[in-house]
Amino acid sequence: MASQDLKQRTTPHDPSPADAADAPAAAAPTTTTKARPRRADRRTMAKRGLRSLALAVSLPLSLTLLDIYFFGPLSAPAAAHAAAAADEAERPFVPPLWILHTLCAVSSLLMGLSAWLVWAEGGFHRRPAALPLYLAQLGLALAWGPVVFGLGAGRVGLAMAAGMVAAMVGCYKTFGEVNPIAGDLVKICFAWAGLLSVVNLKLVSM
């Protein structure tokens, strides 16, 4: 009898149906607790992505607008240069300056967006030449207006326009290898770079 009582005491307790039903309910808060940090991490990553996107787009656009303000039609040298070449009959292939400046701002915005797409996928590490090419085309684009309209150095500006086109070709190749959409955005900017080259060539030939 004593041995039977000992066996009954040492026999593991079988969970009742009520206990089995309560087990998932007890584990549910743990799963919910784990899901909350994941959602918080996703929100944090989304906020960081939006901030980096805003910086990548607004910084080159702001620099371009400042460049237009100081060296565009509002500046005295540029206004004098534009007035000297104001006759549309003599320069039929040269559009008004406001069209050039608008296209310049749009191009800087698109290039910034394409660069951000490449950066978001780690393209600047996978393609080390992508960042120098982007900075080269941005620097040449910012310097073209002051050189052509501020200093009146059309031949130097023509060389800068050619360098800008070359840098964009490099951006198109490297960006497209990382993100096809980024490469397509650079394609749009080719139209502006080509127009800039034609305008510069026309100004030199006058």
Side-chain angles (χ1 to χ4, degrees):
M1 295 294 295
S3 61
Q4 291 179 357
D5 293 339
L6 182 61
K7 289 181 180 180
Q8 291 178 357
R9 291 176 183 178
T10 56
T11 301
H13 174 67
D14 294 335
S16 61
D19 295 337
D22 292 340
T30 304
T31 305
T32 306
T33 305
K34 291 182 179 179
R36 288 177 181 175
R38 293 179 181 176
R39 294 177 181 176
D41 293 340
R42 291 177 181 176
R43 291 178 181 176
T44 302
M45 292 178 63
K47 290 181 180 179
R48 291 178 180 176
L50 291 176
R51 290 176 183 175
S52 62
L53 174 59
L55 180 62
V57 173
S58 63
L59 181 59
L61 181 59
S62 299
L63 292 175
T64 302
L65 294 178
L66 289 174
D67 184 68
I68 293 172
Y69 179 80
F70 287 107
F71 302 100
L74 298 179
S75 63
H81 189 275
D87 190 358
E88 295 292 338
E90 295 181 1
R91 56 185 190 99
F93 298 105
V94 179
L97 286 178
W98 68 268
I99 293 181
L100 291 178
H101 292 152
T102 301
L103 294 177
C104 181
V106 173
S107 177
S108 66
L109 189 148
L110 293 178
M111 288 298 298
L113 178 58
S114 64
W116 179 83
L117 291 174
V118 174
W119 170 83
E121 296 190 11
F124 288 153
H125 295 285
R126 292 159 52 189
R127 297 291 186 272
L131 182 59
L133 287 171
Y134 170 70
L135 295 177
Q137 70 81 27
L138 178 60
L140 290 172
L142 293 174
W144 183 85
V147 169
V148 175
F149 296 113
L151 301 177
R155 297 185 183 276
V156 178
L158 188 60
M160 295 174 64
M164 193 189 317
V165 173
M168 282 189 175
V169 172
C171 288
Y172 168 71
K173 292 181 179 180
T174 54
F175 286 14
E177 292 175 356
V178 177
N179 189 314
I181 298 177
D184 292 338
L185 291 176
V186 178
K187 280 183 182 180
I188 302 175
C189 300
F190 276 128
W192 170 77
L195 177 62
L196 209 65
S197 301
V198 172
V199 169
N200 203 148
L201 184 62
K202 184 65 179 178
L203 292 175
V204 170
S205 62
M206 287 179 60

